[in-house]
Amino acid sequence: SNISLMLVFREMELQHLSSLLIIESIRKPKDTMLQGLQAVKEYYDAEIKTIEEQLENAEKHIKQEEERAEMLEGVAKDLLNTDIKYLVSSETTILTHVFVEHAYEECIASGDTDMTTIETLQALKLLYEDLMIKLDSMPFDIVKEAEAAVQTKNAIALEKAHQARRQVALLDNLSKSMKRALDKPFVRHGRPLMWRSKPPSPKHRIKYVSRQYSPRELEYLIHFTDYCPYEDEEAVNLFFPLGT
């Protein structure tokens, strides 16, 4: 039985040693695996941190771009409502376009055209340069006579325009006067105005009547004082010596 017991313990010892060997053989791959897991964890933590930083930077850039877009939109609206609107639809722009179109129709061709204002100005510029070249080749006397004739014609046209303007103004004033004359007179309707309290009586100026003075007193007042017949009697008495 002792031998059997020793064999059992020996068998158990061998199994224990075998288990230790197996554990030792497994520990190294386990450590390698744990190190690999730690490295992978650190790598992915770094990647996640990098991605978070990139997302924060992207959010900042997006916010900046949105603010810039709002600012540019406001600037565009301001330009549309001020400068661009003035350049496109102002009275000066419309008058300039009409003037250029009229000059083009008078000098080059009449009728509707699909040319823009810039293209029309370019055509007028070319025509002007061609006319100036021809004008330089003409005699000076002919040019001077033509210039005087054009100035006279322009002066007559300008005077007619002024007369027409004055006539329009007179007609406008006449129309307004006739309208005022034909309008019904204004009549106040409603309750009459009522005084809240009795109006104060007007103050009457007191007239001072000079008393009758003797010839001696009157002579004294006239020659030796600044006597006025409309002064108060008390004021006149001051001119007399005491006891008079």
Side-chain angles (χ1 to χ4, degrees), residues 4 20 44 52 60 65 68 80 83 92 96 102 104 115 120 122 125 129 135 141 161 170 176 205 234 237 239:
S4 299
L20 289 176
Y44 281 109
E52 289 178 352
K60 290 180 181 179
E65 292 296 329
R68 186 168 180 269
L80 286 175
D83 296 338
T92 305
T96 303
H102 176 72
Y104 181 83
M115 298 172 62
T120 308
Q122 290 291 340
K125 179 183 177 182
E129 292 176 352
L135 190 63
D141 296 337
L170 290 174
K176 291 180 180 179
R205 189 172 182 179
E234 294 180 358
N237 289 333
F239 294 130

Short mmCIF file of all heavy atoms in Angstrom, two decimals, residues 4 20 44 52 60 65 68 80 83 92 96 102 104 115 120 122 125 129 135 141 161 170 176 205 234 237 239:
data_model
loop_
_atom_site.label_atom_id
_atom_site.label_comp_id
_atom_site.label_asym_id
_atom_site.label_seq_id
_atom_site.Cartn_x
_atom_site.Cartn_y
_atom_site.Cartn_z
N SER A 4 1.90 1.80 -3.48
CA SER A 4 0.79 2.35 -4.28
C SER A 4 0.60 3.83 -3.99
O SER A 4 0.37 4.65 -4.90
CB SER A 4 -0.51 1.59 -3.97
OG SER A 4 -0.36 0.23 -4.30
N LEU A 20 2.47 22.71 -15.02
CA LEU A 20 3.35 23.88 -14.95
C LEU A 20 4.03 24.15 -16.28
O LEU A 20 4.16 25.30 -16.72
CB LEU A 20 4.39 23.68 -13.85
CG LEU A 20 3.88 23.75 -12.41
CD1 LEU A 20 5.01 23.43 -11.43
CD2 LEU A 20 3.32 25.14 -12.11
N TYR A 44 -5.73 52.77 -31.16
CA TYR A 44 -7.10 53.23 -31.43
C TYR A 44 -7.48 54.43 -30.56
O TYR A 44 -8.24 55.30 -30.99
CB TYR A 44 -8.09 52.09 -31.25
CG TYR A 44 -8.13 51.15 -32.44
CD1 TYR A 44 -7.60 49.87 -32.35
CD2 TYR A 44 -8.68 51.57 -33.64
CE1 TYR A 44 -7.63 49.02 -33.44
CE2 TYR A 44 -8.70 50.71 -34.74
CZ TYR A 44 -8.18 49.44 -34.64
OH TYR A 44 -8.20 48.61 -35.73
N GLU A 52 -11.31 63.05 -33.02
CA GLU A 52 -12.05 64.06 -32.25
C GLU A 52 -11.49 65.46 -32.50
O GLU A 52 -12.24 66.43 -32.66
CB GLU A 52 -11.99 63.72 -30.76
CG GLU A 52 -12.83 62.50 -30.38
CD GLU A 52 -12.69 62.17 -28.91
OE1 GLU A 52 -11.82 62.79 -28.25
OE2 GLU A 52 -13.44 61.30 -28.42
N LYS A 60 -15.19 74.01 -36.05
CA LYS A 60 -14.76 75.41 -36.01
C LYS A 60 -14.76 76.01 -37.41
O LYS A 60 -15.24 77.13 -37.63
CB LYS A 60 -13.37 75.51 -35.39
CG LYS A 60 -13.33 75.22 -33.90
CD LYS A 60 -11.92 75.35 -33.35
CE LYS A 60 -11.87 75.04 -31.87
NZ LYS A 60 -10.48 75.13 -31.33
N GLU A 65 -17.12 79.32 -41.55
CA GLU A 65 -17.66 79.45 -42.90
C GLU A 65 -19.12 79.92 -42.87
O GLU A 65 -19.54 80.71 -43.72
CB GLU A 65 -17.55 78.12 -43.65
CG GLU A 65 -16.12 77.70 -43.97
CD GLU A 65 -15.45 78.67 -44.93
OE1 GLU A 65 -16.15 79.28 -45.75
OE2 GLU A 65 -14.22 78.83 -44.83
N ARG A 68 -19.00 83.55 -42.07
CA ARG A 68 -18.54 84.27 -43.26
C ARG A 68 -19.64 84.31 -44.33
O ARG A 68 -19.82 85.32 -45.01
CB ARG A 68 -17.29 83.58 -43.82
CG ARG A 68 -16.63 84.32 -44.98
CD ARG A 68 -15.27 83.73 -45.26
NE ARG A 68 -14.62 84.40 -46.37
CZ ARG A 68 -14.73 84.03 -47.65
NH1 ARG A 68 -15.45 82.96 -47.95
NH2 ARG A 68 -14.12 84.71 -48.60
N LEU A 80 -26.91 94.89 -53.24
CA LEU A 80 -28.09 94.83 -54.11
C LEU A 80 -29.04 95.98 -53.86
O LEU A 80 -29.64 96.53 -54.78
CB LEU A 80 -28.82 93.49 -53.91
CG LEU A 80 -28.16 92.25 -54.51
CD1 LEU A 80 -28.92 91.00 -54.11
CD2 LEU A 80 -28.10 92.36 -56.03
N ASP A 83 -25.68 99.97 -54.08
CA ASP A 83 -24.84 100.27 -55.24
C ASP A 83 -25.37 99.63 -56.52
O ASP A 83 -25.54 100.30 -57.54
CB ASP A 83 -23.40 99.80 -54.98
CG ASP A 83 -22.77 100.57 -53.82
OD1 ASP A 83 -23.26 101.68 -53.53
OD2 ASP A 83 -21.82 100.07 -53.21
N THR A 92 -30.29 108.21 -62.96
CA THR A 92 -29.11 108.58 -63.75
C THR A 92 -28.76 107.49 -64.76
O THR A 92 -28.45 107.78 -65.92
CB THR A 92 -27.92 108.82 -62.81
OG1 THR A 92 -28.28 109.80 -61.83
CG2 THR A 92 -26.71 109.30 -63.58
N THR A 96 -28.92 107.88 -68.74
CA THR A 96 -27.71 107.62 -69.53
C THR A 96 -27.97 106.61 -70.63
O THR A 96 -27.54 106.78 -71.78
CB THR A 96 -26.59 107.12 -68.60
OG1 THR A 96 -26.37 108.08 -67.56
CG2 THR A 96 -25.30 106.91 -69.37
N HIS A 102 -30.37 107.03 -77.84
CA HIS A 102 -30.80 108.09 -78.76
C HIS A 102 -29.64 108.53 -79.66
O HIS A 102 -29.82 108.73 -80.88
CB HIS A 102 -31.33 109.27 -77.95
CG HIS A 102 -31.71 110.45 -78.81
ND1 HIS A 102 -32.83 110.45 -79.62
CD2 HIS A 102 -31.12 111.67 -78.97
CE1 HIS A 102 -32.91 111.60 -80.26
NE2 HIS A 102 -31.89 112.36 -79.88
N TYR A 104 -27.09 106.72 -80.54
CA TYR A 104 -26.82 105.64 -81.49
C TYR A 104 -27.82 105.66 -82.64
O TYR A 104 -27.45 105.50 -83.81
CB TYR A 104 -26.87 104.30 -80.75
CG TYR A 104 -26.59 103.10 -81.64
CD1 TYR A 104 -25.28 102.72 -81.91
CD2 TYR A 104 -27.63 102.36 -82.19
CE1 TYR A 104 -25.02 101.63 -82.72
CE2 TYR A 104 -27.37 101.27 -83.00
CZ TYR A 104 -26.07 100.90 -83.26
OH TYR A 104 -25.81 99.82 -84.07
N MET A 115 -28.09 95.46 -78.63
CA MET A 115 -26.78 95.80 -78.07
C MET A 115 -26.93 96.36 -76.66
O MET A 115 -27.91 97.05 -76.35
CB MET A 115 -26.07 96.82 -78.96
CG MET A 115 -25.79 96.32 -80.37
SD MET A 115 -25.16 97.63 -81.45
CE MET A 115 -23.63 98.04 -80.61
N THR A 120 -22.99 99.73 -77.32
CA THR A 120 -23.42 100.94 -78.02
C THR A 120 -22.39 102.05 -77.88
O THR A 120 -22.08 102.76 -78.85
CB THR A 120 -24.77 101.41 -77.46
OG1 THR A 120 -25.70 100.32 -77.49
CG2 THR A 120 -25.33 102.54 -78.29
N GLN A 122 -19.19 101.62 -77.41
CA GLN A 122 -18.03 101.24 -78.24
C GLN A 122 -18.27 101.61 -79.70
O GLN A 122 -17.37 102.13 -80.38
CB GLN A 122 -17.77 99.73 -78.10
CG GLN A 122 -17.24 99.30 -76.74
CD GLN A 122 -15.82 99.77 -76.50
OE1 GLN A 122 -15.08 100.10 -77.41
NE2 GLN A 122 -15.44 99.83 -75.22
N LYS A 125 -17.97 105.27 -80.02
CA LYS A 125 -16.56 105.67 -79.93
C LYS A 125 -15.85 105.48 -81.27
O LYS A 125 -15.09 106.36 -81.72
CB LYS A 125 -15.88 104.84 -78.84
CG LYS A 125 -14.40 105.15 -78.68
CD LYS A 125 -13.77 104.25 -77.63
CE LYS A 125 -12.26 104.52 -77.53
NZ LYS A 125 -11.62 103.61 -76.55
N GLU A 129 -14.20 108.47 -83.51
CA GLU A 129 -12.81 108.49 -83.96
C GLU A 129 -12.72 108.62 -85.48
O GLU A 129 -11.88 109.37 -86.00
CB GLU A 129 -12.11 107.21 -83.50
CG GLU A 129 -11.92 107.13 -81.98
CD GLU A 129 -11.31 105.81 -81.55
OE1 GLU A 129 -11.19 104.92 -82.43
OE2 GLU A 129 -10.97 105.67 -80.36
N LEU A 135 -12.57 114.91 -89.93
CA LEU A 135 -12.62 116.34 -89.63
C LEU A 135 -11.23 116.97 -89.71
O LEU A 135 -11.09 118.13 -90.13
CB LEU A 135 -13.23 116.53 -88.24
CG LEU A 135 -13.59 117.96 -87.83
CD1 LEU A 135 -14.67 118.51 -88.73
CD2 LEU A 135 -14.06 117.99 -86.38
N ASP A 141 -11.78 126.59 -92.51
CA ASP A 141 -12.92 127.50 -92.68
C ASP A 141 -14.24 126.73 -92.71
O ASP A 141 -15.24 127.15 -92.10
CB ASP A 141 -12.76 128.30 -93.97
CG ASP A 141 -11.54 129.22 -93.92
OD1 ASP A 141 -11.12 129.56 -92.79
OD2 ASP A 141 -11.01 129.58 -94.99
N ALA A 161 -36.72 124.54 -75.90
CA ALA A 161 -36.94 123.66 -74.74
C ALA A 161 -37.26 124.47 -73.49
O ALA A 161 -38.15 124.11 -72.71
CB ALA A 161 -35.69 122.80 -74.51
N LEU A 170 -46.37 127.16 -66.42
CA LEU A 170 -47.52 128.05 -66.37
C LEU A 170 -48.83 127.27 -66.44
O LEU A 170 -49.80 127.59 -65.73
CB LEU A 170 -47.44 129.06 -67.53
CG LEU A 170 -46.33 130.12 -67.43
CD1 LEU A 170 -46.26 130.94 -68.71
CD2 LEU A 170 -46.57 131.03 -66.24
N LYS A 176 -53.66 124.32 -61.18
CA LYS A 176 -53.82 124.34 -59.72
C LYS A 176 -54.72 125.48 -59.28
O LYS A 176 -55.56 125.31 -58.38
CB LYS A 176 -52.44 124.46 -59.07
CG LYS A 176 -51.58 123.22 -59.22
CD LYS A 176 -50.24 123.41 -58.54
CE LYS A 176 -49.36 122.16 -58.69
NZ LYS A 176 -48.03 122.33 -58.06
N ARG A 205 -57.22 151.17 -21.50
CA ARG A 205 -56.17 152.11 -21.11
C ARG A 205 -56.79 153.34 -20.46
O ARG A 205 -57.74 153.93 -20.99
CB ARG A 205 -55.35 152.51 -22.34
CG ARG A 205 -54.12 153.30 -22.00
CD ARG A 205 -53.28 153.50 -23.24
NE ARG A 205 -52.06 154.22 -22.93
CZ ARG A 205 -51.13 154.52 -23.82
NH1 ARG A 205 -51.29 154.15 -25.09
NH2 ARG A 205 -50.05 155.18 -23.47
N GLU A 234 -50.54 163.62 -10.36
CA GLU A 234 -49.54 163.49 -9.31
C GLU A 234 -48.14 163.69 -9.87
O GLU A 234 -47.27 164.27 -9.22
CB GLU A 234 -49.64 162.11 -8.66
CG GLU A 234 -50.96 161.90 -7.91
CD GLU A 234 -51.03 160.53 -7.28
OE1 GLU A 234 -50.05 159.76 -7.49
OE2 GLU A 234 -52.02 160.21 -6.61
N ASN A 237 -47.60 167.41 -10.33
CA ASN A 237 -47.40 168.13 -9.07
C ASN A 237 -45.96 168.10 -8.61
O ASN A 237 -45.51 168.94 -7.84
CB ASN A 237 -48.30 167.56 -7.99
CG ASN A 237 -49.77 167.91 -8.24
OD1 ASN A 237 -50.06 168.93 -8.88
ND2 ASN A 237 -50.68 167.07 -7.75
N PHE A 239 -43.50 168.75 -10.37
CA PHE A 239 -42.75 169.84 -10.99
C PHE A 239 -42.85 171.15 -10.19
O PHE A 239 -42.03 172.04 -10.36
CB PHE A 239 -43.27 170.09 -12.42
CG PHE A 239 -43.00 168.93 -13.36
CD1 PHE A 239 -44.01 168.40 -14.14
CD2 PHE A 239 -41.73 168.37 -13.44
CE1 PHE A 239 -43.77 167.36 -15.00
CE2 PHE A 239 -41.49 167.32 -14.30
CZ PHE A 239 -42.51 166.81 -15.08
#
